Amino acid sequence: MLAKCMLCDRIDELDDQSPLAKKLRNRPIHTYLCPTCHDRITERTIERWKTGKFRIHHKRRTKDESLI
Ligand SMILES: [Zn+2]
């Protein structure tokens, strides 16, 4: 199958039997990230974890719990 990277519009051909292709078939095609963009995002995510900016998400979850 062909998958288009949502960030750089690169089109990759994926092996239909690969776990990634199976996953994409169950989701919209635009969720595909090519390995280059995937690595870039993973690096950014790790950096964000280091700076502690992920606390925003945790705060929101705490707020939701307090509404119950
Ligand atoms: Zn890409």
Side-chain angles (χ1 to χ4, degrees):
M1 68 176 281
L2 292 176
K4 191 178 176 185
C5 173
M6 64 178 284
L7 287 183
C8 67
D9 289 348
R10 186 176 112 175
I11 292 170
D12 284 343
E13 191 166 2
L14 302 178
D15 182 351
D16 281 349
Q17 302 305 313
S18 72
L20 181 60
K22 281 176 188 169
K23 210 192 279 178
L24 283 168
R25 238 176 280 146
N26 296 322
R27 290 171 173 210
I29 196 139
H30 61 259
T31 58
Y32 173 73
L33 288 175
C34 71
T36 310
C37 292
H38 184 269
D39 285 353
R40 214 191 299 154
I41 281 184
T42 306
E43 270 170 37
R44 268 191 215 160
T45 305
I46 291 166
E47 270 171 35
R48 260 188 234 161
W49 266 106
K50 280 179 191 166
T51 57
K53 277 180 186 171
F54 266 91
R55 276 180 199 161
I56 295 161
H57 182 74
H58 181 71
K59 254 185 200 172
R60 202 181 288 161
R61 197 190 281 165
T62 312
K63 213 180 185 184
D64 287 345
E65 277 167 11
S66 67
L67 288 172
I68 301 164

